[in-house]
Amino acid sequence: MTAQLLDGKTLARTIQTEIAAEVAEFVARKGTKPCLATVLVGADPASEVYIRNKRQACERVGMESRHTSLPAETTQSELLGFVAKLNADPGVHGILVQLPLPKQIDESRVLLAVAPAKDVDCFHPENVGLLVQGRPRFLPCTPHGVQQLLVRNAVDIAGKHVVIVGRSDIVGKPLANMLVQKAAGADATVTVCHSRTRDLAAVTRAADILVAAIGKPRFITPDMVRPGAVVVDVGINRTESGLCGDVDFDAVREVASYITPVPGGVGPLTITMLLKNTLIACQEQVGV
Ligand code: GUN
C-alpha cells in the first residue's frame, strides 16, 4: 500500500480563505482590524523565516501585523517591559514572542507575562489550564493544525488509539490534552511516549494514528508503524540533505494509509491556526 498524502498546504489555503471572509465581515461591522504583534529577540535565521511567514499570512487574510526585533543581548526585564507595553496597547490583539529565546532570558517567565487574552500561542498556564479542563479560550496552534488535518480529511479520531511520540509543551502535551477530551474531533485513547519509553516500537505499532513530534530526523521507521495506520509528522529538521521530518517518509509511506509530507503537512496549518486565534482574540477584546 502507498499512503495517501495529507496535504496541509492546500488545506491551509482553504481555511485561510474561510478566515479571510470572517475577518472581512468583522472589519466591515466593527471597523477594527485584528492585529498580531510578533517579537523576535536576536537574529536566529530559522526564527526570522517563521516570523516572515506568519506576517505574510496575516496580510493574506486581511489582518495587521506589527513586528519588533530586539537585540540578542536584551535582558529579561527589558523584554518583560516590552511585553507589558503590548499587553496595554488596545491596538494589539494577539502577542507572539518567538521561541527559542536567548539563554539569559527565562522563557517561562516571559510566557507568563503575556496577557492571557492576547496569548494566541496558548502557552500561558491559564490558557493551558482551560484547555485541560475542556473549555479552551484558544487552541494551541500546532495541535489544532494536526486535529484539523485529520478531521478535514475524514480521518475518524473518536475511539481511536492515538500515539504521540514527544512530550513537549508546544506539541505533545497539548495535543494529548485536546484529543482526549470528550468533544467533536477528539474522544481518542491517547498514549504519550518519549525518550524513556520502554520498547517504543511496540507502543507505536499499537497506534491507529501515530504523531511524531520529537525533533529527530527520520526517527520513525516502517517497523514502528502498523500497516494501515495514519502517520502525522510534526518534525521539521534541518539536515545536510535539506529539510526532513521525524518520519522516514519514503519507507513509511509504503506501510501507512495516510501520511503528511514535510514540508507541506502540518507546518502551513500551524500558521493558519495562529490567524484563527488572532481573530478570536480580537473578537473577544472588541466584542462580536
Ligand atoms: N518556535 C517554534 N514554534 C513556535 C510557536 O509555535 N510559537 C512560538 N512563539 N515560537 C515558536
Side-chain angles (χ1 to χ4, degrees), residues 68-81:
T68 306
S69 279
L70 298 172
E73 348 34 280
T74 299
T75 64
Q76 176 161 305
S77 80
E78 284 167 340
L79 180 57
L80 291 175

Side-chain angles (χ1 to χ4, degrees), residues 47 50 54 96-100 111 121 123 141-142 170 270:
S47 291
Y50 290 139
K54 287 166 184 169
L96 182 140
V97 180
Q98 185 67 30
L99 304 178
L111 300 181
D121 263 326
F123 289 163
C141 302
T142 300
I170 297 188
T270 295

Side-chain angles (χ1 to χ4, degrees), residues 8 19 39 42 62 77-79 123 127 146 201 223 226 233 238 245 262:
I19 294 172
V39 183
S77 80
E78 284 167 340
L79 180 57
F123 289 163
N127 290 326
V146 170
D223 57 299
R226 187 177 58 74
D233 190 349
R238 285 171 180 75
V262 175

Side-chain angles (χ1 to χ4, degrees), residues 1-5 208 226-231 253 255-259:
M1 184 190 333
T2 300
Q4 285 193 52
L5 287 186
D208 300 307
R226 187 177 58 74
V230 175
V231 178
R253 79 177 301 189
V255 180
S257 58
Y258 289 90
I259 190 168

